[in-house]
Each structure stands twice: as C-alpha cells, then as structure tokens.
Amino acid sequence: MKLQILIGLLSVCITFSTVVAYPQLQIQSDPVPFFPHLKKFSHKNFEITNRLTTSVTPSHYKIRITPIIEPENEEVHLSAPGRVIITVKCNSVTKSITLHSYDIEVDEDALSVKHAIAGTIIPVKGLDKNPDQQTITIQLDMDLTSDEEYLVEIHFVARVADDRLNGLYLSKYIDPTTSNINYHAATQFEAIDARKAFPCFDEPALKATFQITIGRSLAFHSLSNMNIDEDGVEDGLPPRFGYVWDIYHTTTHRMSTYLVALVVSDFTFVTSDSKTNVKVWGPEQLLEQDSGKFAADTSAKMLTFFDSYFGLSYDFPKMDQVAVSDFHYGAMENWGLNLYRPKFLLYTEGVSTQLNKWQISSVIAHEIAHQWIGNVVTMEWWSDLWLNEGLANYLQFVGTAAVTNEYEPWDRFGIDCSQSGLEYDGRADAVPVHVDNETHFVQVPFAGTYQKGSGIIRMMEGFLTEPTLTKGLKKYLKNLEYKNAIQDNLFDYLTQVGYEDDNLPRNLTIKQIMDTWTLQAGFPLIRVSRITDTVFYISQERFSNDANENPDAYTWHVPIPYITNTSPLDETALIPKFWISDDTLLISEKITPKPEWILLNPYAYGFYRVLYDSDLTTALKKQLDTDHLKVPTLSRGQLLDDYFKSAFGEYISIKTAMDLTGFLDKEKTLPVWVPALNNLKIVYNMVKDVDVLGEKFRLYMLSKVTPWFLSTGTQNSVTDTLLRTEILDWACALGNEICLTNATTLLDEWMNSESGEKSFGPDFEATIYCAAVFAGGKLYRDFMLKKYTDENVTPIQQSLFLNALACPNDASLLNEALNMAVNSDSPIRDEDSITLMGRVADNTVGRQVAFSYIKLNVEAILKSRVNVMGIQEVLTTLSKYFATPDRLDEVQCMKL
C-alpha cells in the first residue's frame, strides 16, 4: 500500500525554471557541532517517571567486567560478564534495595547483601524487575538498619551492543593495510546508560567512588578513568582463555555514574610535550603524520590554564583522550577519559583545514572545562543540564582565547553560539533551558542547553563584568566541590560577588533576573523608536521565527546597554544604561545631546534581538555605508542577523534587511561576513531558480564578494584564511570567471604533477574540486572518483571528493552519480550513498535530474541500499529551493 501511495505521489510534476547554472556552495558555516543533531531539534520525555528513593544510597562501587569482543563467536556473542559490589548506606529502615539495570541479565541466584563491617548476611527474598522504569528491586527477608552500611553483590552479563552507540557498545574501523575490520569496545553513559553496562544507582546526585577491574583479550589493552595499577594479570581465575585482568586499584573521586568510562582496543597513543600526563589514543593509521599531537599539546595547555583559572587543581592522575571510530556525540567528558569522534580530536597538517583546527580546539576546551564544571560540581538532576553544558560552552571560548588565540575566539561566539541559540529559541515549540521536572528525564534540545545556555552566561558576563563572573564561578566550585548543584546555587554566588564588586543593582538578584531567561522559553525582541529628538521608546515582546505563530507571551529582565554616534567604543559600552523589568512592556529614555543614531546591545552580549523604527534604521544604514567601522564589529554581524531573521519571521520586509548589506564590499571581518552569508544563503536558495530575480541577486552578491576575492592574494592571519575560504566559495558559486578558471588550472596542475603535490591548501580544496568539476566536466569528475577510491586518503579528504562527484554541470554525469549512490556494487561506500544523493539535489542542474530520477526509479530505489531515506534526503534538499507556494505545496505533498 505504501509503495502504491508513493508511486501516486510521484506522478505529480514539478517544473523548474531554465536558469544559468553555477556550482553549489561547499562551505558550511554552522556552529561547532558538538552533537550531530544540532539541527534536528527534538526533545522527548523518557518514560522514567520515578526517581530512586533515598532510603539506600551508594558510596562506593567495585566493578569487575570483561567485554568479550568476538563478533563471530555465537556462544559468547559480544557479551560482558561482570560483578559489581556496591557499598550502600541505609538512610531509613527498609526491606528492599532499588537500583537501575537495563538490558542486563542478572544472576538472581548469586545476589547477596551483607553488613559492611560485621559481615552479617541479609537473606535475599527475591528480585523484582521493572523494565519500564529500568530498575530492579532486591527484596530482603529482614530490615536494613538506618545509618549502617551494607555490601550489595550482583553478578550480571551485559552486552557489548552492536545495535546502539550508548551503554557499553561495539565500534570498529578498517585497517587500510589489510582491509580487515578491527573491533573495539567503548562506553557512552550520559545521560542514563551506565545501567546498560552494570547495575547501579544511575542518577547524577547519587555520587560514589569507583574501583574498576577490566578483563580483556591479550590482543587488546584497556583504559578507564584512573591509571592501571596492575596490567595483564593472570593470577587467580582468568576471565576466560586468552584473557587477562587490568586492575585499577586507585579509587576515583566521588562522581556520578554517567562519568564512568572504559575502552578496550588495540589503539596506539601519542603524548604531549608537557609534564602533564596527557595521551591521545586512536587507531594506528589515524595517528600517523602526528595527527594526535596537536590535541595532546592543546589538552595539556587547557588543563594548565583551567587549573589557574579556577584556582582548583585537576585532581586525576592523567587525561586520556580517545578517538572512537563510532561515536554518537561529538565528544564526552568522562573524568580522566574523554572520548571523541576522530574529526573533533585529530588534526593533520596539510590535510585538516583551519576550520577543523578551530573546531578541535573548541571541543577539547569544552571537554577539559567539564573536568571542573560538571565533574567536580554536577547538576542535581537533568533539569539543570544547562549548568553543565551552558557553562562549558562559554568556558570553551575562555580556554581557546587563553591557549589558541590565533582564532580570535570571542569574535566567533555569535557565529558558534548565540546566533544559533536565538534561531532555536525563536521557535514556537522551544522549551526552557531549565526543565521544571524533577521526576522525568527530559532532554532539552542541544541548541537550548548549549547555545542558549552559553548565550545567557555571556550576557551575565556583560553586565557583571568578566572578573566578577569568574569570581562567582570560583566560589561555586570551591563551596560545592564533589557535590551537586541546582541553578539557584550558581545564582546565589553570582549575586554575592555582584554586590561585593558593585556590579549588580541592589534592588535585583541574579535569580530574579535569570529566572526569566531559564524558566521560560524564548527571548525578547526589543523595539526602539524615536519620539522626539532626544526621547526614545524601548519596548519588549517575545520574538518568534514566524510572527504569525503567536507563541505564549513572556517578559524578561533585560539589561540595556547602548551607544550612539558620539559614544566611546570601550568596555563602558557594556554597562547597562537601564533595565527593562519583567513587569514592563514599554519605557522611555532621554538621550542628550540629540544622537544621529542609537545602537542597543553593543558587542552583542545580550541574548535578544533589536529592531529600530524606519528612521533609526535608515540612520544606521547611512553610518554603515559611510564608515562602517564606527559600529563595533560584533554589532555589525548581530545587526544583520537580527534584521534578516526578523524579515524571515515577517516582522519587516526582506528589502529592509537587504538594504543593510550595502557596506559588505568594504567589510573585512569574519564575524560580520559569516552571519551575513548564512542569511544570504537562505535568500539565495529562494531566488536562484527565479529567472530575473535570481540573476539580479547573483550580480548584487558578486559586487559584494568580488572586491574581497580579488584583494586576498595572501593571508595575514588564520581568521583571514577562514574568511577567504567563505568568499572564494561564494565567488565560484556565483559564477565569477576568474574563480572558475583558477579552480580548473589548479586541479590541472595537481593532476599532471609528477610529485603528486598540490599547490593549494586544504582550506580551499572543497571549493576548488567542485568548481573544477562543474567547469571541466568528466575529466575532472573521473579524477575525483579515482581519488575517492584511493585507500590512502583520509576520511576528510574522501568526503571532499564525494561532494565533488555531485558538482557537474551535465545531466548525464549527475545521473551517473545517482546510479552510483543507489547501486551497492558501485565504488561509493554504503555510508556515503544518501549523502551523495542529497548533494546532487543541491546542484542547480541536479535538482531536476534528481527529481526525475526518483520518479523513474522509485521502486528500485526503495529496494536499494538508500531505500526511502535516500528519497527523503532528496526531497528535503529540494524543499529549500521552492520559493513559491505552489512549488512548496508540490514538494510537501510528496514527503514520506
């Protein structure tokens, strides 16, 4: 039935305009992707409705576990037999012990409970299992005595899961020298998945210490939170034939179960040059060319910096950083054993781009900051996850600014955090960063927890000042060391230091201010209107990405700093001139002498958008066109983002937003160009297939990017390189002849080079490959396919060659690309097939080709390796380009 419906829907015709084709944009200017689903904003309420009782709480775990990594051995197929002995304290008289266990076989006959000191056996009556609550309850024949400690011993068999990437799971990589698949085991326990590896009290507030012993094959070695004390022990009963014990005698600090970790692998490592015990681990071929050295050195520097910043020493004996081949998130801050996706840890000179290097620096800084924020002090419950992640996201910029300042990190804060946070929080279905639910595990979308969380902390830095905010964070850590916190704890310490330093109005507390930002969704749109020469009205209302949606109306405590055309551009510009309180919608402000223009939220510290009346907007436009440097750099970028997002939300016309871009041909900075191009890309996708309008937009954009493109023969800084990458991409995509000719010339030189050396760096590869294939056709396409199938290329390079296969300006070559994506006997890897289909649909010519291909081959596609997912990828990509209601309706009616 589903197939018949699909075939019927595909009979609908979509018409495409006949337009001049140009290569598609290659550079993605998205935020640092700590998580792969930053754009799949979804939140779900796990059916875990009851938190554990506190009648019994843990203080220590002694864990012994043997991950058996033998996928071909059906008898012990990826199992992990183990034993846990948990020291618990009885807080109130009870005859039962409830803890978490999920997807684990518990040996009921081997259960035991005894008094920790006297050794008195407490008879076990039975075991109740509650899969819905993911718990087990040990029923006892006699009461446990209040204030006494007991030992709970549980024997179990967990899974080394090959069908999920959480708990204890199987990962693999292909050895390029042998083409063999090499397996390894890793863990991902945050948020509620330690219970899939061993029975435990799996809640962040139930902290304990841990001792771990790992059984492993002689072919592997193991890692855990602490250093190995005894390696490869064969004494006593071995875990199984050919296996030995790695014993981690040293006990961890008190920590939450989600921070426990282990890795069993054949990985190798590199070390930092510092005295800090830092190692970077990964498959041998990934660590070639010193690919882990940058991460090791950067991690060591970050540890040293945050030691000093917090005034609290990193108190674990080592820091292992591991590149895990299959990893669901970007990285994970397990105490002493951080795990990463390889692309967020490994930097290879001459292969990785400057953007890769920045992302690696940022992710490392984020995870290292977590060793204090989140690990030393942990949120009481998941409702306050933003305390962990928002603070760590903010601190990654503090860390990178101190350690790798070549990237001018604070110039990137708007790009990587606040602008994407505002984009998410403008949705009608956005949820607060603090979820007021103490019993359910509610997952707040990542852009809320991370981007908005860090955005509102940056706003606090603005009105408290950086020294005061840092002073408050130090108090928070010192007073709550190895404990748990709620957001009010942080707010109390910040209020104390705000008063001490005279940086907070005495009639306000941080809790009063910040509750309006954390307990409700959304953020304010601040409107500014001139009433007389010197009197202005300033109002607040909830901003929505769609002004017609009418989400719930909220108000906020809003700090309002501003500058005028006569203001000095220094730190005094961050001081709020006044506040809009949460019970106020409109206030007036008198500013003398008469300013030509006024600009709120200078340097973009505030987490809100600002719109000005038409006369004030015209005055700002005049200033930007005359001398844009009079407006702070970060304000220029945020102003453009505010106006374009307001235009997309139908608060103002798109023309009003476009009028503010007139100065871009003189603009030289990354934090202005990136938000401008991110928004202009949306406009470009809307109009590029519309004959007259599309051509007008193309010529206008060429007039803005060409001066920069022609003036950047050399790079003076890393940020210049990053910006030049963006500009080059747009110049080629807009059809600049010099750009296209240079691309084919450079690729020709590489193809004909006897040494095989390229004359262009990795930052420009994506654009050059695509532009050359577009302009040169089959010759260059075949070269890209050859390079894609070269077993010696890195995954990063392989993805660039894959993208280039979708760039031809020739329908027959694009059809060939689609055939390669669908057919499992083609050179295209299974995991790349859907990506290739989506990239073809992103091509101007490819849109019609991809749609026609689906119509003609729908039954075969559904039976192929890409199946319905490939069709959805194409339709999702196509939907970006339909600006008219009729076209949009046609695409929407086909969604699967």
Side-chain angles (χ1 to χ4, degrees), residues 491-530:
F491 295 163
D492 287 346
Y493 291 120
L494 291 177
T495 298
Q496 291 174 26
V497 296
Y499 292 160
E500 288 171 8
D501 296 349
D502 202 24
N503 286 329
L504 182 67
R506 291 286 175 165
N507 64 331
L508 286 174
T509 66
I510 295 296
K511 177 176 171 57
Q512 284 176 287
I513 297 166
M514 297 310 297
D515 275 358
T516 66
W517 297 90
T518 62
L519 301 184
Q520 60 191 24
F523 59 88
L525 169 64
I526 306 298
R527 293 184 185 268
V528 186
S529 302
R530 189 196 291 266

Side-chain angles (χ1 to χ4, degrees), residues 365-397:
H366 183 103
E367 305 311 323
I368 297 296
H370 266 312
Q371 307 305 301
W372 287 264
I373 299 294
N375 295 10
V376 172
V377 179
T378 311
M379 73 272 145
E380 178 82 17
W381 182 245
W382 301 108
S383 54
D384 274 322
L385 180 61
W386 83 273
L387 283 179
N388 281 20
E389 301 301 348
L391 280 167
N393 226 40
Y394 165 80
L395 289 166
Q396 78 189 45
F397 290 87

Side-chain angles (χ1 to χ4, degrees), residues 402-469:
V403 171
T404 58
N405 200 37
E406 60 184 329
Y407 295 98
E408 300 173 28
W410 289 114
D411 281 358
R412 293 197 61 93
F413 188 84
I415 301 167
D416 289 347
C417 290
S418 57
Q419 286 161 15
S420 57
L422 290 166
E423 171 72 10
Y424 160 72
D425 214 30
R427 290 168 44 136
D429 62 348
V431 297
V433 294
H434 172 91
V435 181
D436 192 17
N437 193 320
E438 296 303 316
T439 59
H440 288 58
F441 170 51
V442 180
Q443 182 176 324
V444 178
F446 295 117
T449 306
Y450 289 71
Q451 272 65 35
K452 181 178 181 179
S454 57
I456 61 179
I457 291 162
R458 176 72 161 166
M459 182 169 65
M460 285 195 284
E461 180 196 334
F463 66 77
L464 284 174
T465 74
E466 188 276 331
T468 299
L469 178 66

